[in-house]
Amino acid sequence: DTAVSQTPKYLVTQMGNDKSIKCEQNLGHDTMYWYKQDSKKFLKIMFSYNNKELIINETVPNRFSPKSPDKAHLNLHINSLELGDSAVYFCASSRDRSNGYTFGSGTRLTVV
Amino acid sequence: QKEVEQDPGPLSVPEGAIVSLNCTYSNSAFQYFMWYRQYSRKGPELLMYTYSSGNKEDGRFTAQVDKSSKYISLFIRDSQPSDSATYLCAMSGGTYKYIFGTGTRLKVLA
């Protein structure tokens, strides 16, 4: 039973397209996150939702829009994809501020 | 200067060696410190977490925090080839936002 699951695992798409990545957690955690990991393995936070409320919104192009229909789901929609959006996107969840994250297995996005 | 600095490696050690992985940071407000292990093409998994200064031990892993020097370490005893992975430190000042280091690639040679 996967704790944090993301779909799709791989996504190859052309520049200019719009795509979505879905994330679901069955841990009962209140907070969910989107992180971007670049080719050098650097993990950078993008967004966080706590009980469906946006609490972290880093400097991210507004082509990226998160949506949390309920506290177990956090989706990421990306408009007008660019080459520089190619990365691995990780969803994560946490119970509170001090216990760390549980990460999903990532979505490898390649924009061609 | 990045908030969290970590040597990217790679660090190659023979099986059975003691491994020392380190991070330095600049923000004195950081109180929560974590280490994650990431295998190739997988998500990071939480290994250890500590609050404030001190040591914490879990099996072959020991995490140390020295807040006065703004320096944290992860020691792996009796390293195994299965420990070969990228190790990421992460830290927070008590908010939901954790700042990650760039990760150190570790190779344990059989």
Side-chain angles (χ1 to χ4, degrees), chain A residues 13-68:
Chain A
T13 188
Q14 290 190 324
M15 271 195 324
N17 283 352
D18 303 339
K19 289 292 177 188
S20 290
I21 307 172
K22 297 188 178 205
C23 180
E24 176 181 0
Q25 55 98 1
N26 62 7
L27 297 166
H29 289 169
D30 287 337
T31 311
M32 295 185 73
Y33 309 80
W34 279 111
Y35 270 82
K36 179 180 179 181
Q37 189 171 48
D38 63 23
S39 56
K40 293 184 179 169
K41 293 280 197 182
F42 182 55
L43 266 169
K44 192 168 190 318
I45 193 166
M46 300 172 71
F47 304 103
S48 177
Y49 273 77
N50 179 265
N51 273 319
K52 301 195 294 175
E53 183 186 338
L54 183 66
I55 58 169
I56 296 174
N57 186 358
E58 291 293 289
T59 309
V60 174
N62 57 17
R63 298 181 295 102
F64 291 79
S65 52
K67 274 203 174 61
S68 182

Side-chain angles (χ1 to χ4, degrees), chain A residues 8-12 87-89 106-110, chain B residues 40-42:
Chain A
K9 219 171 158 57
Y10 299 95
L11 192 48
V12 181
V88 183
Y89 292 84
T107 295
R108 187 171 295 269
L109 171 65
T110 304
Chain B
S40 183
R41 298 196 168 245
K42 300 282 187 191

Side-chain angles (χ1 to χ4, degrees), chain A residues 10 31 33 35 37 40-43 45 50 55-56 58 90 96-101 103-105 108, chain B residues 32 34 36 38-46 49 86 88 92 94-102:
Chain A
Y10 299 95
T31 311
Y33 309 80
Y35 270 82
Q37 189 171 48
K40 293 184 179 169
K41 293 280 197 182
F42 182 55
L43 266 169
I45 193 166
N50 179 265
I55 58 169
I56 296 174
E58 291 293 289
F90 284 102
D96 53 38
R97 302 169 201 211
S98 59
N99 283 292
Y101 303 150
F103 281 90
S105 55
R108 187 171 295 269
Chain B
Y32 296 93
M34 307 204 172
Y36 288 82
Q38 186 176 20
Y39 291 114
S40 183
R41 298 196 168 245
K42 300 282 187 191
E45 55 175 320
L46 183 63
Y49 74 90
T86 297
L88 300 146
S92 160
T95 68
Y96 287 100
K97 179 178 165 183
Y98 278 80
I99 308 297
F100 281 79
T102 49

Side-chain angles (χ1 to χ4, degrees), chain B:
Chain B
Q1 185 195 2
K2 286 185 182 162
E3 274 191 288
V4 179
E5 300 272 4
Q6 191 175 5
D7 188 331
L11 177 62
S12 292
V13 300
E15 185 175 356
I18 296 175
V19 175
S20 171
L21 303 163
N22 311 296
C23 287
T24 58
Y25 62 95
S26 56
N27 189 341
S28 56
F30 287 152
Q31 302 174 65
Y32 296 93
F33 304 92
M34 307 204 172
W35 286 96
Y36 288 82
R37 177 176 62 196
Q38 186 176 20
Y39 291 114
S40 183
R41 298 196 168 245
K42 300 282 187 191
E45 55 175 320
L46 183 63
L47 272 180
M48 304 277 288
Y49 74 90
T50 50
Y51 170 70
S52 196
S53 281
N55 292 0
K56 187 171 182 179
E57 193 173 315
D58 184 2
R60 296 184 296 114
F61 298 91
T62 300
Q64 278 186 357
V65 175
D66 180 351
K67 287 191 73 181
S68 60
S69 304
K70 297 196 183 73
Y71 188 88
I72 70 169
S73 301
L74 177 71
F75 297 96
I76 307 174
R77 287 183 297 283
D78 187 25
S79 55
Q80 304 294 310
S82 58
D83 294 327
S84 298
T86 297
Y87 290 80
L88 300 146
C89 63
M91 44 198 85
S92 160
T95 68
Y96 287 100
K97 179 178 165 183
Y98 278 80
I99 308 297
F100 281 79
T102 49
T104 300
R105 251 180 59 209
L106 171 66
K107 292 182 184 177
V108 181
L109 307 169

